Amino acid sequence: MALAAAVLPNPDESAKDMGVLNIGNALPQSLVPIAAPALLAIGGGGNYGALFLFGAIAAVLGALAVQFIRSVR
């Protein structure tokens, strides 16, 4: 959160921007319970390998996205 607050573009609209960041943090927690049963159902059910593979891919994509943060003021 400290890094996110430090790179906000406009200090006058920081509340709006922090609200968008909160949605970005809360939305995945709402969507994963919807997507997980579909991933677990691949191949007849109980396919935790697919679920963990999806989680690993999401983590790598998130780590790559952080690399594009140029600098902190």
PDB file of all heavy atoms in Angstrom, residues 31-52:
ATOM      1  N   LEU A  31     -13.794 -12.915  -7.258  1.00  0.00           N
ATOM      2  CA  LEU A  31     -13.892 -13.670  -8.506  1.00  0.00           C
ATOM      3  C   LEU A  31     -13.344 -15.090  -8.406  1.00  0.00           C
ATOM      4  O   LEU A  31     -13.820 -15.987  -9.106  1.00  0.00           O
ATOM      5  CB  LEU A  31     -13.171 -12.919  -9.621  1.00  0.00           C
ATOM      6  CG  LEU A  31     -13.757 -11.565 -10.003  1.00  0.00           C
ATOM      7  CD1 LEU A  31     -12.923 -10.920 -11.090  1.00  0.00           C
ATOM      8  CD2 LEU A  31     -15.198 -11.705 -10.452  1.00  0.00           C
ATOM      9  N   VAL A  32     -12.355 -15.312  -7.558  1.00  0.00           N
ATOM     10  CA  VAL A  32     -11.749 -16.648  -7.468  1.00  0.00           C
ATOM     11  C   VAL A  32     -12.751 -17.698  -7.003  1.00  0.00           C
ATOM     12  O   VAL A  32     -12.770 -18.799  -7.561  1.00  0.00           O
ATOM     13  CB  VAL A  32     -10.488 -16.620  -6.582  1.00  0.00           C
ATOM     14  CG1 VAL A  32     -10.019 -18.016  -6.248  1.00  0.00           C
ATOM     15  CG2 VAL A  32      -9.391 -15.857  -7.289  1.00  0.00           C
ATOM     16  N   PRO A  33     -13.622 -17.432  -6.031  1.00  0.00           N
ATOM     17  CA  PRO A  33     -14.597 -18.469  -5.671  1.00  0.00           C
ATOM     18  C   PRO A  33     -15.563 -18.823  -6.804  1.00  0.00           C
ATOM     19  O   PRO A  33     -16.146 -19.898  -6.808  1.00  0.00           O
ATOM     20  CB  PRO A  33     -15.360 -17.863  -4.494  1.00  0.00           C
ATOM     21  CG  PRO A  33     -14.414 -16.893  -3.902  1.00  0.00           C
ATOM     22  CD  PRO A  33     -13.645 -16.330  -5.062  1.00  0.00           C
ATOM     23  N   ILE A  34     -15.704 -17.935  -7.782  1.00  0.00           N
ATOM     24  CA  ILE A  34     -16.547 -18.230  -8.941  1.00  0.00           C
ATOM     25  C   ILE A  34     -15.769 -19.060  -9.953  1.00  0.00           C
ATOM     26  O   ILE A  34     -16.303 -19.997 -10.552  1.00  0.00           O
ATOM     27  CB  ILE A  34     -17.037 -16.913  -9.583  1.00  0.00           C
ATOM     28  CG1 ILE A  34     -17.934 -16.156  -8.605  1.00  0.00           C
ATOM     29  CG2 ILE A  34     -17.772 -17.184 -10.893  1.00  0.00           C
ATOM     30  CD1 ILE A  34     -18.246 -14.744  -9.028  1.00  0.00           C
ATOM     31  N   ALA A  35     -14.488 -18.750 -10.143  1.00  0.00           N
ATOM     32  CA  ALA A  35     -13.673 -19.444 -11.146  1.00  0.00           C
ATOM     33  C   ALA A  35     -13.118 -20.773 -10.646  1.00  0.00           C
ATOM     34  O   ALA A  35     -12.887 -21.685 -11.439  1.00  0.00           O
ATOM     35  CB  ALA A  35     -12.522 -18.544 -11.584  1.00  0.00           C
ATOM     36  N   ALA A  36     -12.887 -20.915  -9.361  1.00  0.00           N
ATOM     37  CA  ALA A  36     -12.246 -22.119  -8.832  1.00  0.00           C
ATOM     38  C   ALA A  36     -13.037 -23.396  -9.121  1.00  0.00           C
ATOM     39  O   ALA A  36     -12.428 -24.395  -9.510  1.00  0.00           O
ATOM     40  CB  ALA A  36     -12.001 -21.971  -7.341  1.00  0.00           C
ATOM     41  N   PRO A  37     -14.353 -23.429  -8.966  1.00  0.00           N
ATOM     42  CA  PRO A  37     -15.056 -24.674  -9.284  1.00  0.00           C
ATOM     43  C   PRO A  37     -14.902 -25.103 -10.741  1.00  0.00           C
ATOM     44  O   PRO A  37     -14.811 -26.298 -11.036  1.00  0.00           O
ATOM     45  CB  PRO A  37     -16.524 -24.361  -8.957  1.00  0.00           C
ATOM     46  CG  PRO A  37     -16.455 -23.291  -7.941  1.00  0.00           C
ATOM     47  CD  PRO A  37     -15.257 -22.464  -8.322  1.00  0.00           C
ATOM     48  N   ALA A  38     -14.832 -24.134 -11.650  1.00  0.00           N
ATOM     49  CA  ALA A  38     -14.633 -24.484 -13.064  1.00  0.00           C
ATOM     50  C   ALA A  38     -13.252 -25.088 -13.275  1.00  0.00           C
ATOM     51  O   ALA A  38     -13.094 -26.055 -14.026  1.00  0.00           O
ATOM     52  CB  ALA A  38     -14.822 -23.247 -13.941  1.00  0.00           C
ATOM     53  N   LEU A  39     -12.239 -24.546 -12.611  1.00  0.00           N
ATOM     54  CA  LEU A  39     -10.889 -25.101 -12.743  1.00  0.00           C
ATOM     55  C   LEU A  39     -10.786 -26.471 -12.082  1.00  0.00           C
ATOM     56  O   LEU A  39     -10.096 -27.357 -12.580  1.00  0.00           O
ATOM     57  CB  LEU A  39      -9.868 -24.141 -12.129  1.00  0.00           C
ATOM     58  CG  LEU A  39      -9.678 -22.831 -12.884  1.00  0.00           C
ATOM     59  CD1 LEU A  39      -8.870 -21.850 -12.040  1.00  0.00           C
ATOM     60  CD2 LEU A  39      -8.992 -23.084 -14.211  1.00  0.00           C
ATOM     61  N   LEU A  40     -11.472 -26.638 -10.956  1.00  0.00           N
ATOM     62  CA  LEU A  40     -11.437 -27.931 -10.277  1.00  0.00           C
ATOM     63  C   LEU A  40     -12.195 -29.004 -11.054  1.00  0.00           C
ATOM     64  O   LEU A  40     -11.896 -30.188 -10.925  1.00  0.00           O
ATOM     65  CB  LEU A  40     -12.019 -27.805  -8.871  1.00  0.00           C
ATOM     66  CG  LEU A  40     -11.162 -27.037  -7.876  1.00  0.00           C
ATOM     67  CD1 LEU A  40     -11.925 -26.808  -6.589  1.00  0.00           C
ATOM     68  CD2 LEU A  40      -9.864 -27.758  -7.612  1.00  0.00           C
ATOM     69  N   ALA A  41     -13.160 -28.610 -11.864  1.00  0.00           N
ATOM     70  CA  ALA A  41     -13.975 -29.577 -12.616  1.00  0.00           C
ATOM     71  C   ALA A  41     -13.274 -30.092 -13.865  1.00  0.00           C
ATOM     72  O   ALA A  41     -13.751 -31.046 -14.478  1.00  0.00           O
ATOM     73  CB  ALA A  41     -15.305 -28.932 -12.996  1.00  0.00           C
ATOM     74  N   ILE A  42     -12.141 -29.491 -14.246  1.00  0.00           N
ATOM     75  CA  ILE A  42     -11.421 -29.944 -15.435  1.00  0.00           C
ATOM     76  C   ILE A  42     -10.963 -31.377 -15.207  1.00  0.00           C
ATOM     77  O   ILE A  42     -10.316 -31.684 -14.204  1.00  0.00           O
ATOM     78  CB  ILE A  42     -10.223 -29.025 -15.732  1.00  0.00           C
ATOM     79  CG1 ILE A  42     -10.692 -27.627 -16.113  1.00  0.00           C
ATOM     80  CG2 ILE A  42      -9.342 -29.616 -16.830  1.00  0.00           C
ATOM     81  CD1 ILE A  42      -9.580 -26.612 -16.251  1.00  0.00           C
ATOM     82  N   GLY A  43     -11.313 -32.256 -16.121  1.00  0.00           N
ATOM     83  CA  GLY A  43     -10.863 -33.645 -16.041  1.00  0.00           C
ATOM     84  C   GLY A  43     -11.631 -34.496 -15.057  1.00  0.00           C
ATOM     85  O   GLY A  43     -11.112 -35.478 -14.571  1.00  0.00           O
ATOM     86  N   GLY A  44     -12.829 -34.142 -14.714  1.00  0.00           N
ATOM     87  CA  GLY A  44     -13.663 -35.000 -13.875  1.00  0.00           C
ATOM     88  C   GLY A  44     -13.761 -34.590 -12.421  1.00  0.00           C
ATOM     89  O   GLY A  44     -14.404 -35.268 -11.640  1.00  0.00           O
ATOM     90  N   GLY A  45     -13.130 -33.529 -12.026  1.00  0.00           N
ATOM     91  CA  GLY A  45     -13.290 -33.028 -10.663  1.00  0.00           C
ATOM     92  C   GLY A  45     -12.057 -33.251  -9.807  1.00  0.00           C
ATOM     93  O   GLY A  45     -11.318 -34.217  -9.977  1.00  0.00           O
ATOM     94  N   GLY A  46     -11.842 -32.347  -8.884  1.00  0.00           N
ATOM     95  CA  GLY A  46     -10.728 -32.448  -7.964  1.00  0.00           C
ATOM     96  C   GLY A  46      -9.379 -32.176  -8.587  1.00  0.00           C
ATOM     97  O   GLY A  46      -8.360 -32.645  -8.085  1.00  0.00           O
ATOM     98  N   ASN A  47      -9.340 -31.419  -9.659  1.00  0.00           N
ATOM     99  CA  ASN A  47      -8.085 -31.148 -10.352  1.00  0.00           C
ATOM    100  C   ASN A  47      -7.407 -29.927  -9.721  1.00  0.00           C
ATOM    101  O   ASN A  47      -7.441 -28.828 -10.251  1.00  0.00           O
ATOM    102  CB  ASN A  47      -8.346 -30.916 -11.838  1.00  0.00           C
ATOM    103  CG  ASN A  47      -7.081 -30.881 -12.649  1.00  0.00           C
ATOM    104  OD1 ASN A  47      -5.995 -30.934 -12.110  1.00  0.00           O
ATOM    105  ND2 ASN A  47      -7.226 -30.792 -13.952  1.00  0.00           N
ATOM    106  N   TYR A  48      -6.786 -30.164  -8.580  1.00  0.00           N
ATOM    107  CA  TYR A  48      -6.118 -29.072  -7.887  1.00  0.00           C
ATOM    108  C   TYR A  48      -4.873 -28.610  -8.630  1.00  0.00           C
ATOM    109  O   TYR A  48      -4.426 -27.484  -8.447  1.00  0.00           O
ATOM    110  CB  TYR A  48      -5.764 -29.488  -6.455  1.00  0.00           C
ATOM    111  CG  TYR A  48      -6.978 -29.500  -5.566  1.00  0.00           C
ATOM    112  CD1 TYR A  48      -7.685 -30.681  -5.354  1.00  0.00           C
ATOM    113  CD2 TYR A  48      -7.431 -28.340  -4.973  1.00  0.00           C
ATOM    114  CE1 TYR A  48      -8.803 -30.700  -4.558  1.00  0.00           C
ATOM    115  CE2 TYR A  48      -8.554 -28.342  -4.176  1.00  0.00           C
ATOM    116  CZ  TYR A  48      -9.234 -29.522  -3.965  1.00  0.00           C
ATOM    117  OH  TYR A  48     -10.349 -29.529  -3.194  1.00  0.00           O
ATOM    118  N   GLY A  49      -4.314 -29.455  -9.473  1.00  0.00           N
ATOM    119  CA  GLY A  49      -3.166 -29.050 -10.280  1.00  0.00           C
ATOM    120  C   GLY A  49      -3.512 -27.881 -11.191  1.00  0.00           C
ATOM    121  O   GLY A  49      -2.732 -26.941 -11.338  1.00  0.00           O
ATOM    122  N   ALA A  50      -4.692 -27.924 -11.817  1.00  0.00           N
ATOM    123  CA  ALA A  50      -5.124 -26.827 -12.682  1.00  0.00           C
ATOM    124  C   ALA A  50      -5.337 -25.549 -11.875  1.00  0.00           C
ATOM    125  O   ALA A  50      -4.985 -24.453 -12.320  1.00  0.00           O
ATOM    126  CB  ALA A  50      -6.402 -27.207 -13.422  1.00  0.00           C
ATOM    127  N   LEU A  51      -5.891 -25.697 -10.687  1.00  0.00           N
ATOM    128  CA  LEU A  51      -6.134 -24.529  -9.834  1.00  0.00           C
ATOM    129  C   LEU A  51      -4.816 -23.880  -9.419  1.00  0.00           C
ATOM    130  O   LEU A  51      -4.653 -22.656  -9.501  1.00  0.00           O
ATOM    131  CB  LEU A  51      -6.945 -24.931  -8.603  1.00  0.00           C
ATOM    132  CG  LEU A  51      -7.334 -23.812  -7.648  1.00  0.00           C
ATOM    133  CD1 LEU A  51      -8.272 -22.824  -8.321  1.00  0.00           C
ATOM    134  CD2 LEU A  51      -7.978 -24.392  -6.408  1.00  0.00           C
ATOM    135  N   PHE A  52      -3.854 -24.705  -8.999  1.00  0.00           N
ATOM    136  CA  PHE A  52      -2.567 -24.165  -8.585  1.00  0.00           C
ATOM    137  C   PHE A  52      -1.777 -23.624  -9.766  1.00  0.00           C
ATOM    138  O   PHE A  52      -1.041 -22.641  -9.632  1.00  0.00           O
ATOM    139  CB  PHE A  52      -1.765 -25.212  -7.817  1.00  0.00           C
ATOM    140  CG  PHE A  52      -2.301 -25.468  -6.436  1.00  0.00           C
ATOM    141  CD1 PHE A  52      -2.655 -26.746  -6.043  1.00  0.00           C
ATOM    142  CD2 PHE A  52      -2.456 -24.433  -5.531  1.00  0.00           C
ATOM    143  CE1 PHE A  52      -3.157 -26.986  -4.781  1.00  0.00           C
ATOM    144  CE2 PHE A  52      -2.953 -24.659  -4.263  1.00  0.00           C
ATOM    145  CZ  PHE A  52      -3.307 -25.949  -3.886  1.00  0.00           C
TER     146      PHE A  52
END
